[in-house]
Amino acid sequence: MTIAAKLTCLNCGQINRVPVAKIEAGPKCAKCGSALLSGLVTELDVRLHDKASDHDEIPIIIDYWAPWCGPCRTMAPEFSKAAVKLKTKARFAKIDTEQHPELSQRLGIRGIPLLILYSGGREVARLPGARPAADIEAFVLQNT
């Protein structure tokens, strides 16, 4: 029996079942063909945010940010570096809290930047403030 993990395509929203043994091979979405573990940071909308955070069995770390926030802009390249380094361990995404204030309210976000790590359909941990790539990597590895 093959053990598979659910992964939401961050491009089209399709939930895919990926054999865990093939995670390193770079799985693609069955519907649209997009890479499921690209090592890139993906911009989410509320629908994709909720689907991925509720269903994904591979950890996803989401950066809650806003374009006017200096520390958020400063951390963006560091977040991208961590995404490349942890390509097969976790997926990295971001969501603009200014465009989606209802999400900030629902999650009780009081300050940005804020990183929230989700796994298995639940919130695992939060990391507030701008951080270097090494801190982000350590946070993900420590909490997965």
Side-chain angles (χ1 to χ4, degrees):
M1 182 170 153
T2 304
I3 298 174
K6 290 183 199 172
L7 280 176
T8 303
C9 176
L10 299 180
N11 184 49
C12 72
Q14 174 72 31
I15 295 178
N16 295 268
R17 292 186 58 77
V18 178
V20 173
K22 296 191 177 190
I23 292 289
E24 299 281 333
K28 296 187 188 246
C29 176
K31 183 176 179 182
C32 73
S34 294
L36 294 172
L37 294 161
S38 66
L40 300 174
V41 177
T42 306
E43 181 76 35
L44 301 178
D45 60 19
V46 174
R47 179 185 68 85
L48 281 174
H49 171 280
D50 290 348
K51 203 166 189 182
S53 62
D54 288 346
H55 298 288
D56 283 12
E57 295 172 345
I58 301 288
I60 182 167
I61 184 166
I62 302 175
D63 176 15
Y64 298 87
W65 73 289
W68 51 262
C69 170
C72 296
R73 291 193 319 267
T74 300
M75 187 177 73
E78 297 297 309
F79 193 64
S80 293
K81 286 180 198 173
V84 170
K85 189 114 181 213
L86 298 177
K87 179 180 176 178
T88 59
K89 304 276 187 240
R91 298 196 302 162
F92 285 66
K94 64 182 185 172
I95 190 160
D96 183 345
T97 58
E98 189 171 304
Q99 287 184 350
H100 306 288
E102 71 284 358
L103 185 62
S104 296
Q105 185 176 16
R106 179 168 37 111
L107 295 174
I109 296 173
R110 301 200 189 286
I112 55 173
L114 174 67
L115 302 178
I116 301 180
L117 181 66
Y118 298 91
S119 185
R122 65 179 186 86
E123 181 180 320
V124 175
R126 291 183 179 212
L127 183 66
R131 305 295 176 131
D135 286 2
I136 297 167
E137 293 164 25
F139 171 72
V140 171
L141 294 173
Q142 178 182 7
N143 290 289
T144 55

